[in-house]
Amino acid sequence: MKMIHIILYFLGLLLSFTSHATSSFKDFCVANLLLRDTPSGYPCKPQSLVTENDFVFSKLEPGPPITPFNGGTTTVSVNNIPGLNGLGISAGRVDIGINGTVPMHFHPDATELLIMVEGEMTAGFITPTKLIMKTLNPGDVMVFPKGLLHFQVNFGVGKAAAFVAYSSSNPGLHILDTLLFDTNLPTAILEMTTLLDGTLEKGY
Ligand SMILES: *[C@@H]1O[C@H](CO)[C@@H](O)[C@H](O)[C@H]1NC(C)=O
């Protein structure tokens, strides 16, 4: 065999090995929702049981408004599209009635991208040094960086709707009001830790 043939032979061998390696390596890991979620996502469902329905969600419609805020979010996470498992992305929508709001909230591990499609929303997020706030109209896109408190309010004349994308397959939703006031935290502690006990008015 000439040298060139030997090289080609080994090249071929290498190629067949790597292509085999890629095809046996998982291209996706559809969530097995029967098992427990872990910090690195759900365990994979056997590939033989995976179908197209694991990658499609069909009715992204307005969810029920969060009482009493007249606004709410619908999230399509890994729990709705098992194929999102491990991909670090998900979707949803935000719908707010007139004078309604999606109250102050945050997603611990997800940046949010909001794409306005209908009506008008005043949206913003807060950091210790800066308030970013803007009134959005259809076609506007706004980003809410990971973990920051944010909100949307509808001061418009009609209902407002937007689609959202999250940089997590399971963004979670922590609503500040619920965290603070819908718990068994003793009232005295709640008042002291939030200054609702009047410390602020007393001028301390
Ligand atoms: C929305 O709020 C404004 C200002 O408070 C009020 O004038 C208006 O009637 C409200 N609209 C609805 C539909 O609640």
Side-chain angles (χ1 to χ4, degrees):
M1 255 203 280
K2 281 192 188 140
M3 192 51 133
I4 182 74
H5 289 140
I6 296 171
I7 291 171
L8 282 176
Y9 172 77
F10 279 107
L11 213 63
L13 209 69
L14 195 72
L15 225 82
S16 71
F17 172 75
T18 46
S19 69
H20 177 256
T22 21
S23 68
S24 67
F25 189 81
K26 52 185 200 279
D27 293 310
F28 50 76
C29 168
V30 171
N32 184 342
L33 296 176
L34 299 176
L35 299 177
R36 281 169 64 91
D37 197 6
T38 75
S40 55
Y42 284 94
C44 309
K45 185 170 160 175
Q47 294 230 358
S48 58
L49 300 179
V50 169
T51 73
E52 62 273 22
N53 293 330
D54 289 316
F55 298 91
V56 177
F57 180 83
S58 290
K59 282 211 152 84
L60 182 50
E61 288 171 347
I66 306 165
T67 314
F69 299 104
N70 192 25
T73 66
T74 314
T75 304
V76 184
S77 71
V78 65
N79 299 304
N80 312 100
I81 304 183
L84 286 176
N85 196 37
L87 299 182
I89 192 168
S90 60
R93 61 179 293 161
V94 173
D95 293 272
I96 312 178
I98 298 173
N99 290 345
T101 177
V102 176
M104 203 66 80
H105 67 281
F106 62 100
H107 314 283
D109 196 30
T111 292
E112 174 176 335
L113 199 63
L114 180 142
I115 303 157
M116 278 298 292
V117 294
E118 185 185 350
E120 184 185 297
M121 273 181 208
T122 300
F125 62 85
I126 302 169
T127 79
T129 53
K130 194 104 184 139
L131 163 69
I132 300 292
M133 186 165 74
K134 179 127 173 99
T135 297
L136 306 173
N137 295 292
D140 289 344
V141 179
M142 181 165 178
V143 63
F144 304 87
K146 184 190 288 188
L148 298 185
L149 270 176
H150 59 279
F151 60 89
Q152 291 99 16
V153 180
N154 180 3
F155 293 130
V157 292
K159 63 187 167 114
F163 289 110
V164 288
Y166 300 102
S167 66
S168 161
S169 59
N170 208 353
L173 172 65
H174 291 243
I175 298 174
L176 191 58
D177 311 62
T178 314
L179 290 174
L180 287 176
F181 305 117
D182 200 7
T183 68
N184 294 322
L185 199 58
T187 305
I189 293 180
L190 187 60
E191 288 179 349
M192 288 165 68
T193 54
T194 55
L195 302 183
L196 287 173
D197 61 355
T199 301
L200 212 53
E201 284 84 50
K202 287 184 218 142
Y204 292 112

